[in-house]
Amino acid sequence: MTVRATKRSAGLLLFRHTDAGLEVLLGHMGGPFFAKKDAGAWTVPKGEYEPDEPAWEAARREFQEELGLAPPDGEAVALGEVVQSNGKIVTAWAVEADLDPESINPGTFTMEWPPRSGRTQEFPELDRVAWLALDRAREVVIPAQAAFLDRLAEHSG
């Protein structure tokens, strides 16, 4: 019997303080499965890493790969881990920074599309990013990742 290792992802949640309150930068997952979805289709910019890579380094590397931008410097606030419904363990840090969503140059992935067509297409990892107020972010983020928003709000309180 083979034991499948639990997949792990690490990511950076950017936040900023505005006149309207705390905002976070989330990415809308690219590809055909999420094209017409809003709720549950937004995520902290993150990606998988191998057990021998430190999670913090993976979070910074994945930010660069997902957004095509260097990860910001600044104090990192550890937001801990969550377990998503698919069993993946996600670790995140929050960093206060500003970023223009129009400046991203997302990484891509390739998949067979349409299914069983024999054709492959390339899609962006994240098809867009946006600054969202915490209440709006909670409505659209992958449900398990809402805990990151709550932890950030406690830290920023």
Side-chain angles (χ1 to χ4, degrees):
M1 180 170 139
T2 58
V3 177
R4 213 175 103 222
T6 301
K7 291 187 176 183
R8 293 184 154 274
S9 281
L12 295 181
L13 177 63
L14 298 193
F15 69 97
R16 67 184 184 184
H17 295 278
T18 69
D19 292 341
L22 190 61
E23 292 182 338
V24 292
L25 186 79
L26 295 178
H28 184 271
M29 292 182 277
F33 299 122
F34 299 101
K36 294 185 168 120
K37 292 188 171 106
D38 198 37
W42 291 78
T43 182
V44 171
K46 62 171 180 47
E48 291 182 10
Y49 65 99
E50 296 300 321
D52 61 345
E53 182 180 14
W56 169 246
E57 290 176 18
R60 292 179 58 78
R61 175 182 51 76
E62 287 293 336
F63 185 92
Q64 174 95 40
E65 289 178 13
E66 297 268 315
L67 301 183
L69 301 170
D73 292 322
E75 178 191 350
V77 177
L79 299 177
E81 295 181 342
V82 299
V83 180
Q84 295 183 166
S85 61
N86 61 3
K88 183 182 287 183
I89 298 170
V90 181
T91 306
W93 287 266
V95 177
E96 187 168 5
D98 206 349
L99 177 151
D100 177 1
E102 298 298 314
S103 68
I104 72 158
N105 181 21
T108 59
F109 68 96
T110 304
M111 66 179 282
E112 182 181 19
W113 191 259
R116 296 178 294 287
S117 66
R119 294 196 318 255
T120 57
Q121 289 189 45
E122 198 170 28
F123 298 96
E125 296 271 356
L126 299 173
D127 57 23
R128 64 190 180 276
V129 298
W131 287 103
L132 303 171
L134 286 183
D135 288 345
R136 176 71 181 134
R138 280 188 191 94
E139 293 172 2
V140 298
V141 75
I142 293 171
Q145 292 182 23
F148 294 143
L149 305 177
D150 297 338
R151 294 170 193 166
L152 175 62
E154 286 173 22
H155 172 80
S156 299

